PDB file of all heavy atoms in Angstrom:
ATOM      1  N   VAL A1302     -22.863  27.769  -7.346  1.00  0.00           N
ATOM      2  CA  VAL A1302     -21.821  27.651  -8.496  1.00  0.00           C
ATOM      3  C   VAL A1302     -20.960  28.887  -8.527  1.00  0.00           C
ATOM      4  O   VAL A1302     -19.822  28.833  -8.994  1.00  0.00           O
ATOM      5  CB  VAL A1302     -22.568  27.328  -9.714  1.00  0.00           C
ATOM      6  CG1 VAL A1302     -21.491  27.172 -10.873  1.00  0.00           C
ATOM      7  CG2 VAL A1302     -23.530  26.211  -9.651  1.00  0.00           C
ATOM      8  N   GLN A1303     -21.536  30.075  -8.263  1.00  0.00           N
ATOM      9  CA  GLN A1303     -20.744  31.322  -8.257  1.00  0.00           C
ATOM     10  C   GLN A1303     -19.466  31.250  -7.525  1.00  0.00           C
ATOM     11  O   GLN A1303     -18.454  31.959  -7.860  1.00  0.00           O
ATOM     12  CB  GLN A1303     -21.661  32.465  -7.922  1.00  0.00           C
ATOM     13  CG  GLN A1303     -22.745  32.877  -8.949  1.00  0.00           C
ATOM     14  CD  GLN A1303     -23.471  34.014  -8.475  1.00  0.00           C
ATOM     15  OE1 GLN A1303     -23.286  34.569  -7.365  1.00  0.00           O
ATOM     16  NE2 GLN A1303     -24.474  34.559  -9.246  1.00  0.00           N
ATOM     17  N   LEU A1304     -19.486  30.589  -6.326  1.00  0.00           N
ATOM     18  CA  LEU A1304     -18.274  30.527  -5.476  1.00  0.00           C
ATOM     19  C   LEU A1304     -17.174  29.869  -6.259  1.00  0.00           C
ATOM     20  O   LEU A1304     -16.007  30.194  -6.111  1.00  0.00           O
ATOM     21  CB  LEU A1304     -18.604  29.657  -4.344  1.00  0.00           C
ATOM     22  CG  LEU A1304     -19.247  30.423  -3.096  1.00  0.00           C
ATOM     23  CD1 LEU A1304     -19.554  29.350  -2.035  1.00  0.00           C
ATOM     24  CD2 LEU A1304     -18.307  31.561  -2.663  1.00  0.00           C
ATOM     25  N   LYS A1305     -17.438  28.762  -7.098  1.00  0.00           N
ATOM     26  CA  LYS A1305     -16.509  28.088  -7.817  1.00  0.00           C
ATOM     27  C   LYS A1305     -15.884  29.091  -8.948  1.00  0.00           C
ATOM     28  O   LYS A1305     -14.719  29.157  -9.120  1.00  0.00           O
ATOM     29  CB  LYS A1305     -17.098  26.889  -8.526  1.00  0.00           C
ATOM     30  CG  LYS A1305     -17.635  25.797  -7.509  1.00  0.00           C
ATOM     31  CD  LYS A1305     -18.132  24.586  -8.288  1.00  0.00           C
ATOM     32  CE  LYS A1305     -18.816  23.716  -7.507  1.00  0.00           C
ATOM     33  NZ  LYS A1305     -19.470  22.457  -8.173  1.00  0.00           N
ATOM     34  N   TYR A1306     -16.672  29.801  -9.541  1.00  0.00           N
ATOM     35  CA  TYR A1306     -16.237  30.722 -10.618  1.00  0.00           C
ATOM     36  C   TYR A1306     -15.385  31.791  -9.981  1.00  0.00           C
ATOM     37  O   TYR A1306     -14.371  32.176 -10.539  1.00  0.00           O
ATOM     38  CB  TYR A1306     -17.388  31.331 -11.405  1.00  0.00           C
ATOM     39  CG  TYR A1306     -17.986  30.209 -12.316  1.00  0.00           C
ATOM     40  CD1 TYR A1306     -19.415  29.901 -12.200  1.00  0.00           C
ATOM     41  CD2 TYR A1306     -17.265  29.721 -13.337  1.00  0.00           C
ATOM     42  CE1 TYR A1306     -19.870  28.995 -13.035  1.00  0.00           C
ATOM     43  CE2 TYR A1306     -17.861  28.752 -14.286  1.00  0.00           C
ATOM     44  CZ  TYR A1306     -19.147  28.420 -14.053  1.00  0.00           C
ATOM     45  OH  TYR A1306     -19.638  27.451 -14.962  1.00  0.00           O
ATOM     46  N   ALA A1307     -15.763  32.406  -8.804  1.00  0.00           N
ATOM     47  CA  ALA A1307     -15.041  33.328  -8.164  1.00  0.00           C
ATOM     48  C   ALA A1307     -13.662  32.866  -7.817  1.00  0.00           C
ATOM     49  O   ALA A1307     -12.563  33.677  -8.001  1.00  0.00           O
ATOM     50  CB  ALA A1307     -15.711  33.783  -6.842  1.00  0.00           C
ATOM     51  N   SER A1308     -13.588  31.655  -7.301  1.00  0.00           N
ATOM     52  CA  SER A1308     -12.330  31.148  -7.008  1.00  0.00           C
ATOM     53  C   SER A1308     -11.426  30.959  -8.147  1.00  0.00           C
ATOM     54  O   SER A1308     -10.147  31.199  -8.103  1.00  0.00           O
ATOM     55  CB  SER A1308     -12.369  29.722  -6.181  1.00  0.00           C
ATOM     56  OG  SER A1308     -11.227  29.135  -5.884  1.00  0.00           O
ATOM     57  N   LYS A1309     -12.000  30.511  -9.255  1.00  0.00           N
ATOM     58  CA  LYS A1309     -11.245  30.214 -10.488  1.00  0.00           C
ATOM     59  C   LYS A1309     -10.773  31.548 -11.070  1.00  0.00           C
ATOM     60  O   LYS A1309      -9.578  31.667 -11.538  1.00  0.00           O
ATOM     61  CB  LYS A1309     -12.172  29.431 -11.444  1.00  0.00           C
ATOM     62  CG  LYS A1309     -11.470  28.985 -12.751  1.00  0.00           C
ATOM     63  CD  LYS A1309     -12.330  28.214 -13.519  1.00  0.00           C
ATOM     64  CE  LYS A1309     -11.509  27.673 -14.812  1.00  0.00           C
ATOM     65  NZ  LYS A1309     -12.476  26.860 -15.717  1.00  0.00           N
ATOM     66  N   ARG A1310     -11.626  32.530 -10.963  1.00  0.00           N
ATOM     67  CA  ARG A1310     -11.254  33.814 -11.501  1.00  0.00           C
ATOM     68  C   ARG A1310     -10.131  34.498 -10.785  1.00  0.00           C
ATOM     69  O   ARG A1310      -9.051  35.032 -11.409  1.00  0.00           O
ATOM     70  CB  ARG A1310     -12.574  34.756 -11.498  1.00  0.00           C
ATOM     71  CG  ARG A1310     -12.250  36.123 -12.126  1.00  0.00           C
ATOM     72  CD  ARG A1310     -13.603  36.894 -12.282  1.00  0.00           C
ATOM     73  NE  ARG A1310     -14.212  37.150 -11.106  1.00  0.00           N
ATOM     74  CZ  ARG A1310     -15.268  36.659 -10.669  1.00  0.00           C
ATOM     75  NH1 ARG A1310     -15.860  35.811 -11.454  1.00  0.00           N
ATOM     76  NH2 ARG A1310     -15.800  37.034  -9.518  1.00  0.00           N
ATOM     77  N   LYS A1311     -10.100  34.302  -9.384  1.00  0.00           N
ATOM     78  CA  LYS A1311      -9.081  34.792  -8.575  1.00  0.00           C
ATOM     79  C   LYS A1311      -7.624  34.029  -8.980  1.00  0.00           C
ATOM     80  O   LYS A1311      -6.641  34.714  -9.092  1.00  0.00           O
ATOM     81  CB  LYS A1311      -9.292  34.533  -7.194  1.00  0.00           C
ATOM     82  CG  LYS A1311      -8.302  35.100  -6.216  1.00  0.00           C
ATOM     83  CD  LYS A1311      -8.596  34.858  -4.742  1.00  0.00           C
ATOM     84  CE  LYS A1311      -7.574  35.534  -3.806  1.00  0.00           C
ATOM     85  NZ  LYS A1311      -6.199  35.152  -4.091  1.00  0.00           N
ATOM     86  N   ARG A1312      -7.765  32.776  -9.162  1.00  0.00           N
ATOM     87  CA  ARG A1312      -6.555  32.063  -9.624  1.00  0.00           C
ATOM     88  C   ARG A1312      -5.978  32.539 -10.983  1.00  0.00           C
ATOM     89  O   ARG A1312      -4.811  32.715 -11.205  1.00  0.00           O
ATOM     90  CB  ARG A1312      -6.829  30.647  -9.740  1.00  0.00           C
ATOM     91  CG  ARG A1312      -6.748  29.816  -8.262  1.00  0.00           C
ATOM     92  CD  ARG A1312      -5.528  30.090  -7.519  1.00  0.00           C
ATOM     93  NE  ARG A1312      -4.367  29.781  -8.131  1.00  0.00           N
ATOM     94  CZ  ARG A1312      -3.084  30.107  -7.676  1.00  0.00           C
ATOM     95  NH1 ARG A1312      -3.076  30.665  -6.510  1.00  0.00           N
ATOM     96  NH2 ARG A1312      -1.960  29.684  -8.311  1.00  0.00           N
ATOM     97  N   LEU A1313      -6.905  32.747 -11.836  1.00  0.00           N
ATOM     98  CA  LEU A1313      -6.459  33.285 -13.160  1.00  0.00           C
ATOM     99  C   LEU A1313      -5.811  34.610 -13.009  1.00  0.00           C
ATOM    100  O   LEU A1313      -4.880  34.978 -13.737  1.00  0.00           O
ATOM    101  CB  LEU A1313      -7.627  33.374 -14.148  1.00  0.00           C
ATOM    102  CG  LEU A1313      -8.287  32.077 -14.583  1.00  0.00           C
ATOM    103  CD1 LEU A1313      -9.579  32.340 -15.335  1.00  0.00           C
ATOM    104  CD2 LEU A1313      -7.283  31.368 -15.492  1.00  0.00           C
ATOM    105  N   GLU A1314      -6.334  35.477 -12.224  1.00  0.00           N
ATOM    106  CA  GLU A1314      -5.744  36.891 -11.878  1.00  0.00           C
ATOM    107  C   GLU A1314      -4.460  36.718 -11.382  1.00  0.00           C
ATOM    108  O   GLU A1314      -3.412  37.333 -11.753  1.00  0.00           O
ATOM    109  CB  GLU A1314      -6.647  37.634 -11.109  1.00  0.00           C
ATOM    110  CG  GLU A1314      -7.917  38.166 -11.781  1.00  0.00           C
ATOM    111  CD  GLU A1314      -8.958  38.781 -10.687  1.00  0.00           C
ATOM    112  OE1 GLU A1314      -8.604  38.786  -9.427  1.00  0.00           O
ATOM    113  OE2 GLU A1314     -10.041  39.184 -11.169  1.00  0.00           O
ATOM    114  N   GLU A1471      -5.438  28.959   0.776  1.00  0.00           N
ATOM    115  CA  GLU A1471      -6.783  29.329   0.368  1.00  0.00           C
ATOM    116  C   GLU A1471      -7.383  28.297  -0.701  1.00  0.00           C
ATOM    117  O   GLU A1471      -8.396  27.812  -0.543  1.00  0.00           O
ATOM    118  CB  GLU A1471      -6.865  30.694  -0.180  1.00  0.00           C
ATOM    119  CG  GLU A1471      -8.179  31.317  -0.491  1.00  0.00           C
ATOM    120  CD  GLU A1471      -8.256  32.643  -1.076  1.00  0.00           C
ATOM    121  OE1 GLU A1471      -7.183  33.292  -0.975  1.00  0.00           O
ATOM    122  OE2 GLU A1471      -9.332  32.933  -1.754  1.00  0.00           O
ATOM    123  N   GLN A1472      -6.624  27.998  -1.660  1.00  0.00           N
ATOM    124  CA  GLN A1472      -7.076  27.206  -2.734  1.00  0.00           C
ATOM    125  C   GLN A1472      -7.111  25.645  -2.273  1.00  0.00           C
ATOM    126  O   GLN A1472      -8.066  24.951  -2.763  1.00  0.00           O
ATOM    127  CB  GLN A1472      -6.114  27.271  -3.943  1.00  0.00           C
ATOM    128  CG  GLN A1472      -6.185  28.510  -4.734  1.00  0.00           C
ATOM    129  CD  GLN A1472      -7.597  28.909  -5.236  1.00  0.00           C
ATOM    130  OE1 GLN A1472      -8.135  29.866  -4.556  1.00  0.00           O
ATOM    131  NE2 GLN A1472      -8.175  28.003  -6.051  1.00  0.00           N
ATOM    132  N   PHE A1475     -10.342  25.335  -0.398  1.00  0.00           N
ATOM    133  CA  PHE A1475     -11.436  25.289  -1.479  1.00  0.00           C
ATOM    134  C   PHE A1475     -11.516  23.867  -2.009  1.00  0.00           C
ATOM    135  O   PHE A1475     -12.506  23.301  -2.149  1.00  0.00           O
ATOM    136  CB  PHE A1475     -11.326  26.273  -2.566  1.00  0.00           C
ATOM    137  CG  PHE A1475     -12.378  26.213  -3.562  1.00  0.00           C
ATOM    138  CD1 PHE A1475     -13.682  26.754  -3.197  1.00  0.00           C
ATOM    139  CD2 PHE A1475     -12.222  25.673  -4.784  1.00  0.00           C
ATOM    140  CE1 PHE A1475     -14.741  26.672  -4.211  1.00  0.00           C
ATOM    141  CE2 PHE A1475     -13.283  25.629  -5.773  1.00  0.00           C
ATOM    142  CZ  PHE A1475     -14.442  26.240  -5.398  1.00  0.00           C
TER     143      PHE A1475
END
Side-chain angles (χ1 to χ4, degrees):
V1302 183
Q1303 289 181 352
L1304 278 176
K1305 298 181 183 180
Y1306 288 119
S1308 176
K1309 189 174 180 181
R1310 188 168 60 249
K1311 185 179 182 304
R1312 280 309 303 174
L1313 290 172
E1314 289 170 0
E1471 184 183 342
Q1472 291 305 115
F1475 182 72

